[in-house]
Amino acid sequence: PGHAHASVADVVDKVSSVEMPIGSKKELISELMEKRGVDEDIALWMTTNLVKSPCGQGFDWTFDLDVARGILDDFPKQHFVELAKDVGSKYVTYPDGLGSGMRKSKIEIVMAGKNKAWTPSVIEQLQGLRESSLPSSDPFLNLHLLPDAGHNVHVDDLEGLMLLLEDGFRFS
């Protein structure tokens, strides 16, 4: 929430130093682990970001590294609490699509409990925003904590995430 983890920039720097196209996924894993010191899990994950090179020889990244760098550079400038506050000021109703009435716009934030970016200050600001929303019986902002989840909430607590999604898709 507001700060990209330093390891993200480190991975972008390391994958940027790999000459592309690369011959194989195995070669990428070796290059990242042995020459760049990247953790095996991340090296394996990075192979999912490869596509066959248009020249027909080896693999290229599916993403643009310059865009990734731009996003990382811009990320700290974002003010997500202010963005949520702005959405809350426009707390609107819209047709539910089922012909049964109106629904209110909402923000549902899923917090990975093992993510250290959820500082007490950030949580306090979001809770204050939630409590100040009207009507208090139906706030526009809800916080959901998955205490045992890290960055990969869908892996670390799939059951908890699915329960949150199921509740969110339920029309009342």
Side-chain angles (χ1 to χ4, degrees):
H3 301 286
H5 194 279
S7 67
V8 175
D10 185 50
V11 169
V12 169
D13 288 343
K14 288 177 179 178
V15 300
S16 295
S17 68
V18 175
E19 192 172 325
M20 301 304 269
I22 194 153
S24 69
K25 292 181 178 189
K26 232 180 193 178
E27 189 179 329
L28 177 67
I29 294 167
S30 173
E31 178 84 17
L32 289 174
M33 289 177 61
E34 295 167 19
K35 295 182 181 171
R36 306 292 190 287
V38 173
D39 172 272
E40 181 180 15
D41 289 337
I42 292 174
L44 289 167
W45 172 65
M46 290 309 298
T47 66
T48 68
N49 296 295
L50 293 176
V51 64
K52 289 196 180 213
S53 176
C55 71
Q57 296 184 10
F59 294 87
D60 282 317
W61 298 116
T62 59
F63 52 83
D64 184 323
L65 284 163
D66 291 332
V67 171
R69 272 195 218 311
I71 290 169
L72 284 172
D73 291 344
D74 190 53
F75 194 75
K77 299 172 193 164
Q78 302 304 310
H79 300 283
F80 297 105
V81 173
E82 289 301 315
L83 178 64
K85 192 181 294 183
D86 185 50
V87 170
S89 71
K90 296 172 178 69
Y91 190 54
V92 296
T93 58
Y94 58 93
D96 68 6
L98 301 175
S100 61
M102 303 293 281
R103 296 184 56 82
K104 290 185 169 72
S105 58
K106 291 186 180 259
I107 297 175
E108 304 289 339
I109 296 179
V110 177
M111 300 183 302
K114 291 182 178 178
N115 183 338
K116 292 178 180 31
W118 293 111
T119 63
S121 171
V122 170
I123 293 169
E124 185 178 303
Q125 288 177 64
L126 290 170
Q127 286 174 332
L129 194 57
R130 181 185 191 286
E131 291 165 8
S132 69
S133 69
L134 295 172
S136 59
S137 61
D138 187 22
F140 81 94
L141 175 70
N142 291 304
L143 305 174
H144 307 278
L145 177 65
L146 296 176
D148 296 325
H151 175 77
N152 296 308
V153 293
H154 64 291
V155 173
D156 298 336
D157 190 357
L158 180 59
E159 186 176 340
L161 182 60
M162 293 305 296
L163 287 171
L164 290 175
L165 289 171
E166 183 180 291
D167 286 346
F169 286 122
R170 208 174 272 137
F171 289 97
S172 48

